[in-house]
Amino acid sequence: MESSENTKSKWAAYFGGVSVVASLLLVAWEIRQNTVALSAQALQDLNAMANEILLTAAQNDQLSSVLEKGDDDLSSLSDAEYRQYWSYSYGLINGIDAAYGFYQKGILSEDDFSGWRTYACEYLGTPSGRTIWEKDKASFGDDFGEFVVDECDI
């Protein structure tokens, strides 16, 4: 009788262990699914933001003129034009910072972030982009500032 009880206890412990392992595998799978969904949502949100910023300039002739004029020479802008140029530029830099943050947290893959990296360095490497960056870099985090310096040689 004792042997039968001992066997039952061993089987119960075995099935209990299998249940725990199965539960852990299920939790790991669910976390992976959530990570994939979070990554897709982050990329979608970043692209929507970038499209909105770019579409604003494309649909507004006056803003497009200000951006073109500012790209050539910030000092040629009136105070109101400079404010428009700054707002647009700050929005772009803020979006790049958000993409960098998602990349650092592993939400965006290297492949997803590579375009943002290229755009950041191209934009911040222009004289006007560099001027805006130098003026406002303190409002961004140290990690993003180091990224700009290291990756974009600014």
Side-chain angles (χ1 to χ4, degrees):
M1 183 88 155
E2 211 174 302
S3 169
S4 176
E5 289 297 318
N6 193 16
T7 301
K8 287 180 184 178
S9 293
K10 286 181 182 178
W11 277 108
Y14 172 76
F15 284 123
V18 168
S19 297
V20 168
V21 170
S23 295
L24 289 174
L25 290 173
L26 179 61
V27 167
W29 180 79
E30 288 175 347
I31 289 171
R32 173 71 180 135
Q33 292 301 105
N34 288 340
T35 301
V36 168
L38 180 62
S39 177
Q41 185 64 50
L43 189 57
Q44 183 179 2
D45 290 347
L46 287 168
N47 286 334
M49 180 215 44
N51 289 338
E52 184 176 331
I53 290 170
L54 296 173
L55 195 57
T56 298
Q59 293 177 336
N60 184 325
D61 291 341
Q62 190 273 335
L63 177 59
S64 292
S65 295
V66 167
L67 294 174
E68 188 173 323
K69 188 175 169 184
D71 285 345
D72 290 337
D73 180 13
L74 280 176
S75 66
S76 69
L77 298 174
S78 70
D79 289 345
E81 290 172 330
Y82 180 83
R83 185 66 171 161
Q84 283 182 301
Y85 190 93
W86 176 86
S87 295
Y88 185 86
S89 297
Y90 194 89
L92 286 175
I93 297 168
N94 196 40
I96 296 164
D97 181 29
Y100 178 72
F102 287 143
Y103 171 67
Q104 287 298 102
K105 291 176 176 85
I107 297 169
L108 290 184
S109 68
E110 174 64 33
D111 187 52
D112 290 335
F113 183 66
S114 65
W116 288 92
R117 177 185 291 113
T118 300
Y119 185 74
C121 294
E122 286 176 359
Y123 176 72
L124 294 172
T126 66
S128 296
R130 187 177 296 234
T131 299
I132 298 291
W133 171 252
E134 289 299 327
K135 178 182 176 289
D136 293 305
K137 67 183 175 184
S139 64
F140 294 95
D142 291 339
D143 288 345
F144 183 61
E146 289 175 21
F147 158 77
V148 170
V149 170
D150 294 343
E151 294 288 327
C152 303
D153 295 324
I154 294 176

